[in-house]
Amino acid sequence: MENTHLPFVSAVICTRNRPDKIGNAIETILANTYPNFDLTIIDQSTSDETEAIVRRIGERDGRVRYKRMSTSGLSRAYNLAIASTTGPIIAFTDDDCLVPADWIEKIVSAFEDQRDGELIYGQVVPAYPEGDGEALTPLLRIEKPERLDRTNGFRVFGMGANFAARRSLFERTGVFDEALGGGGPLKSSQDFDLAYRAFRRNAVILLRPEVIVRHDGRREKEDWPALLRAYGFGDGAFYSKHARCRDAYATWLAAKNFTVVGTKILVKRALGRRPAEVDYLAGFVQGVRGGLKFGVDRTTLLYTEKN
């Protein structure tokens, strides 16, 4: 039964061509004990398999809402989700993630605990860490609760597989940059960009280790070079956009990141190892160049098509 004394939460999964995993992801969200939420699926798949699965689940659970997009791009999907949901809190996870039954409850509790917080990032842990699953699954560890803001400091941090925001954040900061993100021309880092724009507008970002999802997203060893290049590409495009807006702090963050990665490469080469960071750094340079193909709106801090 809906509890009107608790804030309504709009949970969201954006999906593309994962009919083998979307059903499990949906079921874990619907199993949440928090009494006041719905679930919106934004589907960019190229077949009808995912739609059939979602509609079948929706027939027995009225909390499920389905929207199909003919265009691709994770940021576009996020923005449609923001526009088509109603909750004052929006909680996002991925189509290859499994959430615990208290996931939504812990998001709400974190926002209630720190009422000035507008954006939360939680932990992403491997769903199947056995063997080499820990090493081959993209993850995000958070050791202790933290606040990122003008008072406590900021660092580029986050992972789109597990985050939540107050709707008010998007009203103040703007939505996701559709040039960035998976399926977009600049490949990734839409989450970093959102967090940085939020920081620029004095938002408080919360890092909460108790907000956890399990990531069923293992990548095999041969997949990692391309994945790291994509990560680097998005990061290069993200940093350079803000540097082009004459943002000295973003320029410093980019230089620091470049230096840290470069140092790791030198150290590993000195030890006779091939550094995986080479792939990231190559992507980073390509991303800086890729971003130059776009204009930048210095008011919204979003990429635009060049005239």
Side-chain angles (χ1 to χ4, degrees):
M1 180 178 293
E2 183 174 297
N3 187 332
T4 56
H5 298 293
L6 295 171
F8 189 81
V9 176
S10 295
V12 171
I13 297 176
C14 299
T15 187
R16 180 177 170 86
N17 295 336
R18 283 198 176 132
D20 57 325
K21 295 186 177 181
I22 187 65
N24 288 336
I26 291 172
E27 296 290 4
T28 64
I29 292 178
L30 295 178
N32 265 243
T33 55
Y34 188 79
N36 205 17
F37 76 95
D38 64 8
L39 171 61
T40 296
I41 308 299
I42 307 294
D43 183 14
Q44 296 177 319
S45 299
T46 56
S47 75
D48 295 331
E49 291 180 79
T50 294
E51 180 175 2
I53 292 167
V54 176
R55 292 200 182 280
R56 187 163 58 247
I57 296 173
E59 287 175 0
R60 62 173 169 78
D61 195 315
R63 294 173 296 178
V64 177
R65 303 166 70 242
Y66 175 84
K67 287 190 174 292
R68 187 76 175 261
M69 291 186 75
S70 59
T71 55
S72 63
L74 181 55
S75 289
R76 286 179 175 175
Y78 281 156
N79 289 342
L80 176 59
I82 294 164
S84 59
T85 55
T86 60
I89 296 174
I90 314 174
F92 298 82
T93 189
D94 283 351
D95 54 6
D96 58 355
C97 288
L98 308 171
V99 311
D102 60 358
W103 178 63
I104 296 175
E105 179 182 345
K106 286 189 172 177
I107 288 170
V108 173
S109 294
F111 277 132
E112 291 293 311
D113 179 51
Q114 300 193 47
R115 292 179 178 270
D116 58 347
E118 290 186 89
L119 178 63
I120 288 176
Y121 284 106
Q123 290 202 77
V124 180
V125 303
Y128 305 104
E130 301 81 9
D132 52 5
E134 177 86 15
L136 295 177
T137 304
L139 52 81
L140 183 71
R141 298 288 187 185
I142 300 174
E143 298 299 327
K144 64 183 187 302
E146 291 187 63
R147 289 167 59 96
L148 305 181
D149 56 28
R150 294 297 180 100
T151 300
N152 296 282
F154 176 82
R155 67 183 185 276
V156 176
F157 191 88
M159 188 169 175
N162 187 16
F163 74 102
R166 296 189 193 272
R167 187 171 298 277
S168 59
L169 175 75
F170 302 113
E171 294 167 355
R172 289 201 307 111
T173 300
V175 294
F176 286 89
D177 191 324
E178 294 186 358
L180 296 167
L186 301 180
K187 301 184 185 295
S188 67
S189 302
Q190 78 292 333
D191 42 6
F192 292 167
D193 180 66
L194 177 73
Y196 187 71
R197 286 188 285 119
F199 165 73
R200 283 282 307 269
R201 287 171 169 80
N202 297 314
V204 173
I205 302 165
L206 307 177
L207 311 183
R208 301 296 293 234
E210 76 275 17
V211 179
I212 298 175
V213 304
R214 295 168 54 225
H215 189 198
D216 183 14
R218 174 187 170 119
R219 308 293 196 272
E220 299 306 324
K221 290 180 180 178
E222 59 269 22
D223 299 325
W224 274 90
L227 185 64
L228 290 172
R229 284 193 295 272
Y231 287 164
F233 194 108
D235 283 4
F238 147 62
Y239 283 117
S240 65
K241 176 178 69 170
H242 294 282
R244 287 165 62 188
C245 294
R246 299 178 182 176
D247 185 325
Y249 187 52
T251 303
W252 177 81
L253 287 171
K256 179 182 177 183
N257 180 60
F258 196 91
T259 300
V260 168
V261 174
T263 300
K264 289 181 179 179
I265 290 172
L266 293 175
V267 169
K268 289 183 179 180
R269 280 182 170 167
L271 296 173
R273 296 157 53 191
R274 184 197 181 276
E277 290 83 1
V278 168
D279 298 303
Y280 173 88
L281 204 59
F284 189 98
V285 173
Q286 292 170 353
V288 171
R289 294 173 179 166
L292 295 176
K293 297 177 182 179
F294 293 82
V296 179
D297 184 324
R298 293 190 179 184
T299 301
T300 62
L301 301 179
L302 299 176
Y303 273 119
T304 63
E305 295 292 337
K306 273 194 171 179
N307 296 325

